[in-house]
Amino acid sequence: MPLVDQNKNLQLKIASLEAEKLSQEEKITWITKTQETLKTMFQSIASEILESNSKSILGQVTFHFHSLFENLKTDWNLKKEEIKNIVSPLEKGLEALDNQIQNLESKREGAYSSLSSHITLLAEAYKELHRSATRLEQSLKSPLVRGSWGEYQLQRLVEMAGMEEHISYLNQPLTEDKRADMIIFIPGNRKIFVDAKTPMRAYLEAVSAENETLRKEKLKEHLSAVKERIRELSKKEYGRTQTDAFEYVIMFLPSEGLLSLSFEADPGIFQYALERNVLLASPINFLALLKAIAFGWQQQRMTEQVEKIVEEIKNLYDSFIELLTTLTKMRKAFENTIDLFNKASSICHEKIIPSTRKIQSTGSFSKEIPEVNPIETTPKNRDCP
């Protein structure tokens, strides 16, 4: 082959090789650019994915904790309101109980301190009544005056005994067309009828008699007048017409002398009256009876106060039980909340925080990852709730 042809072939091959080299260099350049583009694209996509996942995880965790603590806050507010609703009646109950105890103690001291003065009052009453009888001797000769005087003495005695009208007694009530001078109410829904009688004419004449013969004669007349009043009072039958009435009617003689002279004339006068359901009473023994009845009313009121205190104590005990029950429920609720929080903390430590740290290690995020530590709980086998 001629050298010229060989040279041409070589030149053609050289040109072909240069074209192929140029083509390869263009391919290498395209591949390099493509790799850089893909790398940039993948880095951007990975960064977006990591950021999106991280935000999603952190958002879920934040929402979970926020809901958890909001529930805890709501439960605490509800329990706090429940405790307030329980404690407030307890405070009022304790105040009412303290006031009632103070009132009861004050009344008890007053009741027992007044007992020491009762004997003195009885002696003074006797002296005063004796002086009144002497002063009224002349004016008592009139039947109308004697009746008013007897009613006045009766009213004065109930006032001295500390009894209250319409509560402890009723003055001059009408009972089936029969007027009694007074009704004495006694504890237990019972009542005693009282009529004041003043057979004074023969009594005054006996007191002022100049000799023993005349005195004995007037004593018999006085005894006859007293028995007549007993028979009149027995016919009214107050105790038989009303079921709540005491079977005996009290015949009140407003002067000690009226009763003592009757007893002197006939020692069996009391038995005579009892056989006819009548009790004879003079100012001294009638005042003693009224004092006993008044003291009975005081004891009943004190018993009612004690019953109220017992009721308050029962309410207070029930409130304490309710408070302890609520505290037990609160403890259980707190324990459940702590368990849920510790479970969420465990999820963070086992799954979320390790993944977040791997993402942080790429260098794309610089914020510090906070620690979510579990809450340490006390032992549950304690004596108190």
Side-chain angles (χ1 to χ4, degrees):
M1 180 179 295
L3 293 175
V4 176
D5 292 331
Q6 292 180 356
N7 187 26
K8 288 181 178 179
N9 290 332
L10 290 172
Q11 289 180 352
L12 289 172
K13 289 181 179 180
I14 290 169
S16 177
L17 291 171
E18 288 178 354
E20 185 176 355
K21 178 183 178 183
L22 182 61
S23 177
Q24 292 295 331
E25 289 177 352
E26 290 177 355
K27 289 181 179 179
I28 291 170
T29 302
W30 182 82
I31 289 171
T32 302
K33 291 181 178 180
T34 301
Q35 288 178 346
E36 292 177 355
T37 302
L38 290 175
K39 182 179 180 180
T40 303
M41 183 183 298
F42 282 131
Q43 287 180 348
S44 176
I45 292 172
S47 177
E48 290 177 359
I49 291 172
L50 289 175
E51 183 177 359
S52 176
N53 290 338
S54 177
K55 289 181 178 179
S56 177
I57 292 171
L58 290 176
Q60 292 178 2
V61 172
T62 302
F63 177 77
H64 180 72
F65 285 135
H66 181 71
S67 300
L68 183 63
F69 284 110
E70 283 296 319
N71 291 333
L72 179 61
K73 181 180 178 182
T74 302
D75 290 342
W76 169 245
N77 289 333
L78 291 175
K79 298 302 180 182
K80 185 169 66 174
E81 189 66 24
E82 291 180 3
I83 292 176
K84 181 179 179 182
N85 292 334
I86 293 174
V87 172
S88 180
L90 287 177
E91 293 178 352
K92 294 180 180 179
L94 288 173
E95 291 178 358
L97 180 62
D98 182 62
N99 292 333
Q100 289 186 1
I101 290 175
Q102 290 180 359
N103 292 335
L104 178 62
E105 190 63 26
S106 176
K107 291 179 179 179
R108 187 183 297 275
E109 290 177 359
Y112 284 104
S113 63
S114 63
L115 290 177
S116 60
S117 61
H118 286 173
I119 297 177
T120 304
L121 290 175
L122 290 174
E124 293 177 355
Y126 173 75
K127 292 178 181 178
E128 180 65 23
L129 289 171
H130 181 71
R131 288 193 295 266
S132 298
T134 302
R135 289 194 300 267
L136 294 174
E137 181 176 354
Q138 297 301 320
S139 61
L140 290 179
K141 293 180 180 181
S142 169
L144 182 61
V145 174
R146 290 199 301 266
S148 299
W149 176 67
E151 294 174 0
Y152 169 76
Q153 291 289 79
L154 186 62
Q155 178 68 30
R156 190 165 178 270
L157 286 175
V158 294
E159 291 175 355
M160 289 176 62
M163 304 184 77
E164 302 178 38
E165 190 172 3
H166 304 294
I167 298 177
S168 303
Y169 74 94
L170 188 62
N171 201 15
Q172 295 185 349
L174 282 174
T175 306
E176 296 185 0
D177 299 329
K178 298 174 183 178
R179 187 181 68 83
D181 289 325
M182 185 174 291
I183 292 179
I184 305 295
F185 299 107
I186 59 178
N189 295 324
R190 299 294 300 276
K191 55 188 177 182
I192 302 175
F193 287 89
V194 182
D195 253 336
K197 299 300 181 180
T198 55
M200 299 292 295
R201 184 186 63 79
Y203 166 75
L204 295 175
E205 291 176 355
V207 172
S208 59
E210 297 179 354
N211 55 71
E212 188 63 23
T213 303
L214 180 60
R215 181 175 181 277
K216 289 181 179 180
E217 182 181 348
K218 295 302 179 183
L219 282 179
K220 291 180 180 180
E221 292 181 8
H222 173 65
L223 177 62
S224 177
V226 171
K227 287 184 176 181
E228 179 63 24
R229 301 297 185 276
I230 292 174
R231 289 191 294 269
E232 291 175 357
L233 191 57
S234 177
K235 292 178 182 179
K236 293 184 178 181
E237 298 182 340
Y238 292 122
R240 298 179 184 178
T241 57
Q242 299 191 34
T243 58
D244 58 348
F246 191 59
E247 60 178 323
Y248 292 97
V249 179
I250 294 179
M251 177 174 155
F252 175 67
L253 300 173
S255 172
E256 294 293 330
L258 289 173
L259 184 58
S260 62
L261 287 185
S262 300
F263 183 76
E264 181 183 345
D266 182 9
I269 187 64
F270 288 102
Q271 184 63 31
Y272 180 86
L274 288 176
E275 290 173 354
R276 290 157 180 77
N277 294 324
V278 176
L279 287 175
L280 299 178
S282 64
I284 292 298
N285 55 33
F286 187 62
L287 180 60
L289 175 63
L290 294 177
K291 284 288 185 180
I293 295 174
F295 186 73
W297 280 112
Q298 289 180 352
Q299 292 298 314
Q300 177 168 315
R301 285 192 287 267
M302 291 171 64
T303 301
E304 293 174 353
Q305 291 291 332
V306 170
E307 290 176 353
K308 290 181 181 179
I309 291 175
V310 170
E311 185 66 24
E312 290 295 331
I313 290 175
K314 290 181 180 179
N315 295 334
L316 184 62
Y317 177 80
D318 292 339
S319 299
F320 274 125
I321 295 300
E322 185 179 358
L323 175 61
L324 293 176
T325 302
T326 302
L327 290 175
T328 302
K329 292 179 180 179
M330 287 180 60
R331 176 174 178 168
K332 291 180 180 179
F334 286 144
E335 288 176 350
N336 292 334
T337 303
I338 291 172
D339 289 341
L340 291 174
F341 179 84
N342 289 340
K343 287 180 181 179
S345 174
S346 177
I347 293 172
C348 289
H349 280 282
E350 293 176 0
K351 298 179 180 180
I352 297 175
I353 292 178
S355 299
T356 306
R357 285 176 177 169
K358 289 179 181 180
I359 295 171
Q360 189 183 42
S361 64
T362 61
S364 301
F365 303 96
S366 60
K367 289 185 177 180
E368 184 179 355
I369 301 173
E371 289 289 337
V372 182
N373 297 320
I375 298 175
E376 295 182 0
T377 59
T378 56
K380 297 183 179 180
N381 57 349
R382 297 173 64 183
D383 295 334
C384 62

